[in-house]
Amino acid sequence: MSTGKKGEQHGRFLDVRIPIGLIFTLFGGIMVIYGLWGGKEIYHKSLNININFWWGLLFLLFGGVMLILSRRGAS
Amino acid sequence: MKVHIVDYLIIAIYFVFVLAVGFALRKRVRTSDDFFLSGRSIPSWITGLAFMAANLGALEVMGMVANGAKYGMFTNHFYWVGAIPAMLFVGIFMMPFYYGSRVRSVPEYLKLRFNEATRGVNAISFAILTVLMSGINIYAMALVFKLMLNWSMDMSIILSAGVVLVYIFFGGLTSSIYNEVLQFFLIVLGLLPLAILGLMNAGGFSGLAARLPEGFLHTWSTLDKASHNPMGIEWVGMVMGLGFVLSFGYWCTDFLVIQRALAARDMTAARNTPLIAAVPKMLFPFLVTLPGLLAIALIPKALGGNYNLALPLMLERYYPSGLLGVGLTALLASFMSGMAGNVTAFNTVWTYDIYQSYIRPRGTDQHYLWMGKMATIVGVLISVATAYIVMRFSNLMDYMQLLFSFFNAPLFATFLLGMFWKRATPWGAFSGLVSGTLAAVGHYLITIAGILQYPSDMAGNFYRAIYAWSICFGVTIVVSFFTKPRKQKELVGLVYSLTPRVREEGVSWYKRPLFLAIVIGVLTIILNIIFW
């Protein structure tokens, strides 16, 4: 993915990985915080798994990877 | 359904983001080429995911979960038979002509290959198809939001259509494609916990199997006779109707998806676009059919035979607040990507193939850019109007396949002959296309009059597609023998036998289209065998 053409294109276009990275980091953050400090009784729905915390963590990881990739692509 | 402030917060953030992407891209749109084709500069993984997401309308997601609950693993035919083979075909064989001839739209290809009249017929019928389809998407989404958030139908329609309008108006196709990639990830990651939690609750795959009706885990073994499966179709109708005509008609000729590939930055990227899209498409049954199966196994009472509600009901059952906001956002995203795909295809075909061709041929580029923006506004407004018309139809999935059997099925015969038979003549194509479409209309009329009868509407759609395709194919060949073909030198780059093969030197072997296509093809066959 690091051909000369790609460099040109970075000058012209917003890197799509930035908005994806940002939105998943933000969603992940909200879910983790809500999972940690929100009420716990809602998790009987999700088989007593704190799905907000765990899935939020996964979102954070995914968002982070996207942001790191976009930094690497830009440099 | 109990929706908390945290869920609304997540939905609100999503709205802000899609608008921001459109706004951030507004300065990059200077020419009509930027607006309609993204300046042909986008890498293949982005166009590939957008290709996939443009097809992932709300109806696709909700409808396939509903089909999963109704027909079981049989639904997977829509993916492994009804999509993958055609996606591989368009990438390997057809993209060299679409991308290589530098056309800006599918109707424009028909003009170069055949004549103005054939293009005109296709441009007008395609413009009608896109606004009807986009109206279906709006309606489906408004229905969900009324159901889940208790928003009024009008408010859901206006809000969602308004957001799509703004981001396309500012950022054109690029904005639509970027949002589609974002929407793709939201749909996948937002709906995946449903399959995981459901499977855990059912006690794994074997636990699920024990709770399902006979035959729900099979795809092919009930296809020997129409009476053996709930769709009322045997393998000939399935393979020829869905697998060949409807599927190839959609993936190979529908400008909504082709447009994403035309935005790719080079020929290899364009050819890889449908192939990259085929990878998630191949795995999508685990995201949609599986929750449908889980719904019938775990919440049969709540479902009560109302299959269309399978997805919302499953979300309500398994998603606590927080994740629920993400799940609702995923649904919202699927609606917006489906609608945006239709609107960008509509504004391009209207501006290039109707306005520039018939109304004002010699305008400046800035004028066409302006017209594209106006067409975006008008396209959204007409879609909203059609949404209110669609409200009168009961089964949306059947309605969608009905439209495809009218418009896409005969068109695929025109393309097949156009690209692979140099003797096909302009007037042959024109008369074939017109008579194929009329045949579909005629077949529909005698079906609703009760003269022809099918076990299900879907079976009727499959057979209508086969007839429309065959008549277009036959009439084109016969008329071609009596009319004058175009000179061979005019057809270079448009017809297979007259075009030099694409050379892919300097492309690593694992990025070559043929290699990707073989890998995906083999994996799809394995999936079919596992769930035989």
Side-chain angles (χ1 to χ4, degrees):
Chain A
M1 279 277 183
S2 55
T3 54
K5 263 196 145 163
K6 178 99 192 181
E8 261 171 51
Q9 180 216 319
H10 267 289
R12 273 191 77 199
F13 282 101
L14 173 82
D15 189 332
V16 71
R17 287 169 293 196
I18 296 171
I20 295 174
L22 285 175
I23 200 166
F24 275 96
T25 314
L26 213 57
F27 279 8
I30 293 172
M31 284 162 76
V32 167
I33 291 169
Y34 194 69
L36 285 177
W37 286 288
K40 298 289 185 286
E41 69 289 346
I42 55 172
Y43 298 111
H44 67 263
K45 274 187 169 183
S46 52
L47 318 175
N48 295 317
I49 298 167
N50 189 338
I51 191 86
N52 278 330
F53 176 77
W54 293 108
W55 208 254
L57 219 53
L58 185 94
F59 269 32
L60 276 178
L61 190 75
F62 178 74
V65 168
M66 279 286 161
L67 287 177
I68 291 166
L69 284 176
S70 75
R71 300 276 305 197
R72 279 185 44 196
S75 62
Chain B
M1 174 171 299
K2 276 184 100 174
V3 181
H4 285 268
I5 188 131
V6 62
D7 303 314
Y8 281 115
L9 178 69
I10 288 173
I11 295 173
I13 291 174
Y14 171 71
F15 274 124
V16 171
F17 255 83
V18 291
L19 291 175
V21 169
F23 205 64
L25 289 168
R26 79 192 186 288
K27 286 192 185 145
R28 331 245 173 189
V29 178
R30 294 204 182 90
T31 66
S32 66
D33 231 33
D34 291 338
F35 189 77
F36 296 117
L37 290 165
S38 301
R40 297 184 200 265
S41 59
I42 299 186
S44 58
W45 73 272
I46 297 180
T47 51
L49 293 182
F51 189 97
M52 172 77 216
N55 162 257
L56 263 186
L59 207 62
E60 172 79 16
V61 176
M62 298 246 312
M64 286 301 173
V65 176
N67 277 342
K70 195 171 172 185
Y71 304 120
M73 284 281 183
F74 211 69
T75 308
N76 297 358
H77 285 302
F78 282 95
Y79 293 84
W80 300 336
V81 174
I84 305 290
M87 292 167 88
L88 302 184
F89 185 82
V90 70
I92 296 295
F93 295 105
M94 291 176 80
M95 207 48 81
F97 308 111
Y98 279 134
Y99 194 86
S101 62
R102 311 301 287 177
V103 293
R104 299 168 300 182
S105 68
V106 165
E108 193 166 81
Y109 174 86
L110 290 176
K111 185 198 168 190
L112 293 182
R113 172 64 183 86
F114 297 114
N115 57 10
E116 193 64 59
T118 312
R119 174 219 228 160
V121 170
N122 179 230
I124 291 164
S125 70
F126 182 76
I128 296 171
L129 174 71
T130 48
V131 292
L132 285 174
M133 295 297 290
S134 138
I136 298 175
N137 261 305
I138 300 186
Y139 168 67
M141 202 62 220
L143 202 62
V144 172
F145 276 74
K146 183 179 160 57
L147 206 78
M148 302 188 75
L149 301 179
N150 214 6
W151 290 357
S152 83
M153 210 71 162
D154 297 330
M155 153 134 174
S156 312
I157 288 179
I158 288 165
L159 184 66
S160 309
V163 172
V164 172
L165 171 63
V166 170
Y167 77 71
I168 298 177
F169 185 87
F170 285 115
L173 182 64
T174 313
S175 171
S176 178
I177 286 180
Y178 277 28
N179 273 314
E180 278 155 12
V181 177
L182 174 66
Q183 285 149 357
F184 171 79
F185 286 115
L186 277 171
I187 294 166
V188 172
L189 291 174
L191 295 182
L192 196 57
L194 197 57
I196 298 173
L197 289 171
L199 263 188
M200 286 170 72
N201 197 14
F205 207 75
S206 55
L208 170 66
R211 292 167 194 239
L212 286 174
E214 185 76 19
F216 258 53
L217 288 176
H218 294 283
T219 52
W220 289 94
S221 58
T222 55
L223 266 178
D224 54 335
K225 269 201 191 128
S227 55
H228 287 180
N229 61 70
M231 210 178 270
I233 194 144
E234 73 294 332
W235 66 274
V236 181
M238 181 58 81
V239 173
M240 292 304 291
L242 177 67
F244 182 61
V245 179
L246 277 172
S247 154
F248 280 69
Y250 176 76
W251 294 101
C252 302
T253 68
D254 201 311
F255 183 53
L256 160 76
V257 285
I258 302 295
Q259 187 176 28
R260 270 84 200 138
L262 294 184
R265 66 180 173 197
D266 56 38
M267 176 66 93
T268 308
R271 295 181 73 197
N272 281 343
T273 296
L275 305 179
I276 288 170
V279 177
K281 190 77 185 172
M282 178 169 70
L283 299 174
F284 243 70
F286 298 101
L287 208 65
V288 291
T289 314
L290 194 53
L293 288 172
L294 289 164
I296 205 75
L298 298 170
I299 53 163
K301 277 210 190 98
L303 200 60
N306 200 344
Y307 301 111
N308 286 328
L309 295 181
L311 181 58
L313 287 172
M314 285 292 280
L315 287 179
E316 184 174 16
R317 167 65 186 82
Y318 288 102
Y319 277 21
S321 279
L323 188 61
L324 183 62
V326 174
L328 290 172
T329 306
L331 274 182
L332 196 70
S334 78
F335 150 72
M336 299 215 297
S337 62
M339 183 188 171
N342 280 299
V343 172
T344 52
F346 172 81
N347 67 23
T348 309
V349 166
W350 163 261
T351 307
Y352 284 151
D353 293 298
I354 298 174
Y355 185 75
Q356 189 179 25
S357 302
Y358 303 111
I359 299 170
R360 191 168 163 188
R362 274 177 292 278
T364 60
D365 188 68
Q366 285 306 305
H367 178 72
Y368 294 125
L369 174 60
W370 174 82
M371 180 42 76
K373 294 191 164 193
M374 291 306 116
T376 306
I377 298 176
V378 173
V380 169
L381 290 178
I382 302 176
S383 308
V384 169
T386 52
Y388 285 93
I389 299 172
V390 176
M391 273 182 203
R392 297 164 189 220
F393 287 82
S394 62
N395 190 332
L396 299 177
M397 199 70 194
D398 288 341
Y399 177 66
M400 195 164 87
Q401 292 295 336
L402 173 74
L403 290 176
F404 285 150
S405 70
F406 279 5
F407 295 113
N408 292 2
L411 186 61
F412 175 57
T414 306
F415 268 88
L416 206 57
L417 290 168
M419 283 182 175
F420 299 99
W421 190 47
K422 62 185 179 191
R423 185 68 182 74
T425 66
W427 291 107
F430 177 79
S431 42
L433 194 56
V434 171
S435 50
T437 310
L438 290 178
V441 175
H443 180 271
Y444 179 63
L445 291 178
I446 56 174
T447 311
I448 53 172
I451 300 165
L452 263 179
Q453 281 174 349
Y454 292 99
S456 69
D457 287 349
M458 205 55 102
N461 288 333
F462 290 177
Y463 279 102
R464 181 174 322 103
I466 296 175
Y467 292 131
W469 182 88
S470 309
I471 285 175
C472 177
F473 195 80
V475 170
T476 307
I477 291 175
V478 171
V479 176
S480 286
F481 279 120
F482 293 102
T483 47
K484 211 166 130 273
R486 296 186 63 158
K487 293 190 191 75
Q488 293 209 359
K489 67 173 196 291
E490 294 173 356
L491 300 179
V492 175
L494 301 170
V495 179
Y496 191 75
S497 60
L498 300 173
T499 306
R501 297 292 159 271
V502 182
R503 297 157 80 92
E504 268 151 349
E505 283 136 14
V507 179
S508 351
W509 58 272
Y510 60 89
K511 283 186 187 166
R512 289 192 185 184
L514 195 60
F515 171 77
L516 289 173
I518 291 171
V519 172
I520 295 162
V522 169
L523 289 175
T524 307
I525 292 171
I526 293 174
L527 283 171
N528 272 299
I529 294 171
I530 294 176
F531 294 99
W532 189 267

